[in-house]
Amino acid sequence: MKTMIIGTGSYAPDRVVTNEDLAGIVETSDEWISTRTGIRERRISLGQGTTAMAAEAARRAMEDAGVGPEEIDLIVVGTATADHCFPSAACEVQGILGADRAVGYDISAACSGFIFALNTADSFIRSGVYRTGLVIGADNLSKLVDWSDRSTCVLFGDGAGAVVVRGCEEQETGSGVIRTEIGSDGRKASVLTCRSRTMGNFLTGTKPEIGYISMEGQEVFKFAVKKVPECIEQLLSNTGTKMEEIKYLVLHQANFRICESIARRLKVSMDKIPMNIECYGNTSGATIPVLLDELNRDGRLSSGDKVILAGFGAGLTWGASLIQWQ
Ligand code: COA
């Protein structure tokens, strides 16, 4: 059994926040942000949560695939920002879509969440446990950002992307998810964190605390430009694939310069690396499926194209998936 991606969808809130808008609240400038990151604007939710964004992206992916809610067996959401500690975003999405036969749960791998979620769905489908799944990457990081911290608040945005995956007999097609590599390094956990919000505890005398995103930017940069190329090379080697066969590297949209460094290390031209960071910023688990949806909808993907999706993020986590477009 092979896992095919049979539909894509994405959603971003309407409200655009430009670099100039941010220069009005912290000491920064369009020039600083755009030259160091490639970001010009991002979408910020005005109260719409991760579940609502995820459900809309999923609805669009199901429409693209021509799949109804009764056909969905599995919903996996890669997110670090579920609206509630419980229930999961996936269960809420299930309820909104009316996918009554499905089972849903979230996966926590921050910006690598979509790749981890895709790997989970692919494993179930390959082994014949489920046939049709929704894999969603959705995040609402604006609620975790300290809007007075210029070193982080300029980087992130809100959004969601989704794919519908379906199991097909191997002989029916050469297309689908070929292989995924994922990894994590907990020794480096402290370089990118967001503490849980706590209410305090009367026994220990601890006070309520609010957690914000905290990051050692240069450490994250160094990690990404080393680990992502290594992971992609491992994926190519494990599948006997040459880089020349790859049409696009769909990379996590965290920073234009990170993508350029990855391209240099892999000796590929930026033509192979589509970007949309200028419009959305870093939407965490959503960046990869949102970009994949754009490529799909504007006709940049043709049958037989080989594409690598690759992400990295807090954990630290990373992952890459080789797919052949149907
Ligand atoms: N506007 C203006 N100045 C800013 C600023 C902002 N938004 N943010 C930081 N600065 C300042 C710093 O205070 C520092 O000033 P100083 O030299 O007077 O101390 C200076 O700019 C350089 O800061 P530094 O952190 O060294 O910048 P950098 O070149 O490393 O760029 C990042 C910062 C965040 C853009 C970069 O490190 C990065 O992209 N890292 C990866 C982050 C990431 O992708 N995280 C998500 C991973 S999923």
Side-chain angles (χ1 to χ4, degrees), residues 28 32 36 111 150-151 154 215 217-218 220 252 254-255 282:
T28 190
W32 194 97
R36 280 200 173 59
C111 301
R150 68 177 181 174
S151 69
V154 300
M215 183 179 69
Q218 290 184 10
V220 176
H252 171 47
N255 182 315
N282 178 351

Side-chain angles (χ1 to χ4, degrees), residues 234-305:
Q234 187 187 359
L235 181 64
L236 291 172
S237 147
N238 285 341
T239 54
T241 310
K242 293 197 170 55
M243 184 57 94
E244 301 80 80
E245 296 173 52
I246 304 298
K247 174 124 183 233
Y248 293 123
L249 297 172
V250 179
L251 302 182
H252 171 47
Q253 303 286 290
N255 182 315
F256 192 86
R257 285 181 167 178
I258 290 179
C259 294
E260 279 183 330
S261 296
I262 291 170
R264 265 197 304 279
R265 287 194 186 211
L266 291 171
K267 300 188 174 57
V268 301
S269 122
M270 280 302 283
D271 297 346
K272 249 193 200 339
I273 303 188
M275 300 292 303
N276 64 6
I277 192 170
E278 62 278 13
C279 305
Y280 298 109
N282 178 351
T283 56
S284 186
T287 67
I288 293 170
V290 167
L291 188 50
L292 187 65
D293 183 45
E294 281 184 10
L295 295 174
N296 182 27
R297 282 177 196 265
D298 62 22
R300 279 184 277 171
L301 288 171
S302 309
S303 178
D305 283 347

